[in-house]
Amino acid sequence: MIVSYRWLKRYVPALPSPQLVADKLTQLGWEIVSQETWGTWYQPVELVEIIGRIKHPNADHLSVVTIKRHNHSPIEVVTGARNGMVGDRVWYAPVGTHLIDGRVLENVNMRGINSPGMLLSAEELGFQVGEQDLWIWDGNEPLGTHFIDVIGGLDTVFEVELTPNLAVFGQSMRAVARDLAAAFDLPWHLELGEFVYDDATLASVDNREDCPLYGLVDFQIEPGKMTPLWLQVLLRSIGQRVIYPAVDITNFLLWDIGQPLHAFDADKVSGRIHVRRAFEGERLLTLDGVDRQLTPMDLVIADERQALALAGVMGGSATAVSRETTHILLESAHFNPSLIFQTMRRHQIFSDAALHFGKGTNPEAVYTAPWLYQHLLQDMGILQNIGPSQVVGTRPNPRHIPFHPEAIRRLLGVQWSDEEIAGGLRRLGFVQEGHDIIVPLDRHDVEGSHDLAEEVARLYGLDEIPTTIFSSPARPGQRSEEVAYHELIKNSLVAAGYWEVITRSFTSKARILRAGLDVPANVVEVANPLREEESLLRSSLLPGLLETIETNRARRDVPLSLFELAPVYVKGDQTQWQYEELAVVQTLEETPHYPKNYVPHLLDLKGVMEWLNERCALGLTWKQVTSGPEYMHPGRLLALYTADGTLVGYLGEIRPRIAQQYHAKRIGAWIMRVPATARYHRESHITKPLRYPEVVRDLSLIVPTTVSYNDIWQLSRQLDTDVLRSVAPIDHYRGDFGESWTLRLVFQSAERTLTDEEVDKVITEFLQRLRPLGITMRQ
């Protein structure tokens, strides 16, 4: 952003020197990139009078003009201008003058006549005064007056790099002037009036979230007029073009108060104005001459027939204002910043208006900007009539922040009084009301006491804050209980010989369907995916793990044991949420390493699950089921439950037809949601060796084919005893009598040597519990 010192002095006349202003801006947080003097090329240009004019003897379209200079002898200058007669006063640039277009004037021979310097037009000086070649000056200044003195003298311009916090409110000269007046404790002249809108029906807004406030005013103006010189000078000093009054005023107010305005030629508008989203495939020829294709993600200003402008970004050529325009509709709006910013990036239109709207504007400017526009038209003498007007929407109420001076002092480490803090905030435009601070509507960045502390600190200067050592309770950092528990699960699986992998959180419908899963109705869709393969958030870890198997097996034909513990995502009624899922996969194929020619079995994976269940207190129970997820083999499947009976996952074998798609013959899989139980409070302890001997008994049982080993094991855990240490199968046999399981029961007490009677009592109770299942002792 370019800041003009001359412009700032319009509002703070008592500003000190430009160098002091630059230093103070730096203190306030405004980063000064460069500081330059503007207008030096105008210093040699002086006012002269034409005292003679004759036709050039050797050229039909040139004239030899004799000019009278102050305290100099008359000289002759060759010119091609059609105006500039005897008695006219014009601007003359002597030899050595640097013009704004980069030329350096020399003593030139023009068709045999020497011409030292040049008589200048307004355009050559960078301004507009109407249809004339030479700039005929009608002021009362004496001969010899330098042009730089006519336009107010040299100016200093600062190039300011706006940091994100300042860009929210600091994109205007008045915002900079307000900060400087507060820092120097000087009076300022920033008072603004408000335009009083009628109740006319000129516009409608489809969605108030896209455009919370929209104002439209009908002005009738006199065409053909020129923008006043003072306003042209201010625009030129910050590098802006001069066009014609109706447009120059909008550019002036953009940088003066930070409010972008747009003027439509009302005679080219058909019917009412509509603020709406663009139709799919709708087109708009913008002011830069580009025919753009729009989408419903773009907000447009339209009439009854077509889109007229890309809202907040750039107007359309169909309703562009020209020098002959006599009837304009002035738009003053407050748009959704994120919507305008996205449109700007999507169409690559980095206009000044888009940059302002994209960072957020002041809602009050919807009322103050038309008021200023009206008064500037009146001052120029070109306002003929004010027609109907309308504002759609309501002005938001200012935000209130509780005022806690002690919290500000503690945060900054200062001893400033309550009045010093409150006074500094008042100088910056904040208002104290009781125990609250009322935040100006343009300060979108101020949300709490920490922001108020920052404002006071930058006002008084960081040099005024004493250097102190930050103090805080000395507490060592540590993992949360949840993270520590997840690390325990991961470390346990690594200890069991599995490799941890990390897969992408993004997926697609094709990848989900390929793994044999259904695309859930509550899948989370990505609003702006970079590509189709990343259009969804994963709802299961299985597709990513299977693709990892595929990638590795395509490069090296080795068995794989992989796991991942990571979040998966689903969509709720109002928002999205995530939960932790554990997925373990293992190729069930012969391994070339130790043990040689060993083929992993699905029971190996089940054994790891049982071990992890005990080690990490997962609290799981399981039973064999004949149906489950479509991707699982129905004959080799366990359903996993929590203690309260909630189904949390499955352990089994992936269907062979699915496994073969990923370069594997057979794949075992264990997929479950990590139960949200009291697992985080699991305490580890070391059990000392027992001094009393074990008692080992083997039981051979006749078991119906409908009963699983898991049913037997669950009943063993329900026995009312503390001496049964373990139950494990040691033999499985099928004969003419049916199916036999041999179990080894290990008994041991921590207090005494067990007797046969005590062991027999537990075994009898165990057999009684097994009898309802049809289980009997094998004779």
Side-chain angles (χ1 to χ4, degrees), residues 196-215:
V196 180
Y197 286 94
D198 299 337
D199 295 327
T201 306
L202 302 177
S204 63
V205 178
D206 285 359
N207 189 338
R208 295 288 178 83
E209 291 185 2
D210 294 343
C211 179
L213 209 54
Y214 189 80

Side-chain angles (χ1 to χ4, degrees), residues 453-753:
E454 180 185 355
E455 292 300 300
V456 178
R458 71 186 189 90
L459 175 66
Y460 290 131
L462 297 179
D463 293 341
E464 298 298 321
I465 300 177
T467 301
T468 56
I469 298 176
F470 179 76
S471 62
S472 66
R475 287 178 291 186
Q478 60 184 7
R479 294 188 180 98
S480 68
E481 291 181 338
E482 182 177 9
V483 171
Y485 183 72
H486 291 167
E487 288 294 325
L488 173 64
I489 295 175
K490 293 177 182 179
N491 292 337
S492 300
L493 283 168
V494 170
Y498 290 82
W499 291 87
E500 181 182 8
V501 299
I502 299 175
T503 61
R504 291 177 295 176
S505 299
F506 298 104
T507 186
S508 65
K509 292 182 179 179
R511 294 171 60 199
I512 294 174
L513 295 173
R514 184 189 180 206
L517 282 73
D518 295 327
V519 179
N522 60 350
V523 66
V524 180
E525 298 182 2
V526 180
N528 296 300
L530 295 178
R531 50 183 181 169
E532 179 60 29
E533 292 81 0
E534 299 179 348
S535 59
L536 305 175
L537 287 181
R538 65 186 177 197
S539 56
S540 172
L541 299 178
L542 181 61
L545 286 175
L546 294 179
E547 289 171 5
T548 304
I549 289 179
E550 177 186 28
T551 301
N552 283 272
R553 293 299 294 271
R555 288 160 174 77
R556 190 177 179 191
D557 192 14
V558 295
L560 295 168
S561 300
L562 309 174
F563 79 90
E564 183 173 12
L565 176 58
V568 294
Y569 309 89
V570 295
K571 181 169 58 177
D573 295 335
Q574 302 294 331
T575 184
Q576 290 78 34
W577 56 282
Q578 69 183 47
Y579 60 86
E580 298 296 319
E581 184 174 272
L582 172 65
V584 184
V585 294
Q586 181 174 2
T587 55
L588 306 178
E589 300 172 10
E590 180 178 319
T591 172
H593 305 294
Y594 181 84
K596 189 71 174 177
N597 300 326
Y598 172 72
V599 180
H601 194 277
L602 188 60
L603 291 178
D604 294 336
L605 182 59
K606 178 176 179 290
V608 171
M609 182 269 291
E610 293 180 5
W611 174 71
L612 200 69
N613 186 42
E614 293 291 334
R615 178 179 174 84
C616 300
L618 290 172
L620 297 178
T621 60
W622 51 87
K623 68 177 180 180
Q624 188 170 0
V625 293
T626 57
S627 63
E630 183 62 27
Y631 58 86
M632 285 287 201
H633 196 299
R636 303 165 185 170
L637 186 62
L638 291 180
L640 309 178
Y641 301 89
T642 57
D644 61 0
T646 303
L647 178 67
V648 292
Y650 292 92
L651 186 149
E653 186 175 331
I654 300 293
R655 287 184 182 270
R657 61 177 174 81
I658 297 176
Q660 290 169 10
Q661 297 182 55
Y662 297 95
H663 301 288
K665 295 179 180 179
R666 297 175 61 198
I667 299 176
W670 166 24
I671 303 169
M672 60 171 284
R673 180 185 303 182
V674 179
T677 62
R679 56 183 186 267
Y680 304 145
H681 304 292
R682 176 182 180 277
E683 296 180 359
S684 61
H685 60 276
I686 299 175
T687 303
K688 67 179 180 180
L690 301 182
R691 58 180 295 189
Y692 298 100
E694 295 179 344
V695 177
V696 179
R697 295 285 182 88
D698 293 342
L699 295 180
S700 294
L701 306 173
I702 303 297
V703 182
T705 56
T706 56
V707 178
S708 68
Y709 168 71
N710 183 62
D711 296 331
I712 300 173
W713 184 75
Q714 293 290 350
L715 286 176
S716 72
R717 299 186 66 184
Q718 298 174 12
L719 295 174
D720 184 18
T721 179
D722 59 353
V723 297
L724 179 60
R725 295 299 175 187
S726 66
V727 176
I730 61 173
D731 185 48
H732 182 207
Y733 175 74
R734 289 186 177 89
D736 296 337
F737 54 84
E739 192 167 328
S740 172
W741 284 88
T742 299
L743 307 181
R744 175 159 292 171
L745 284 66
V746 178
F747 300 87
Q748 190 177 23
S749 172
E751 300 173 351
R752 64 191 182 281
T753 300

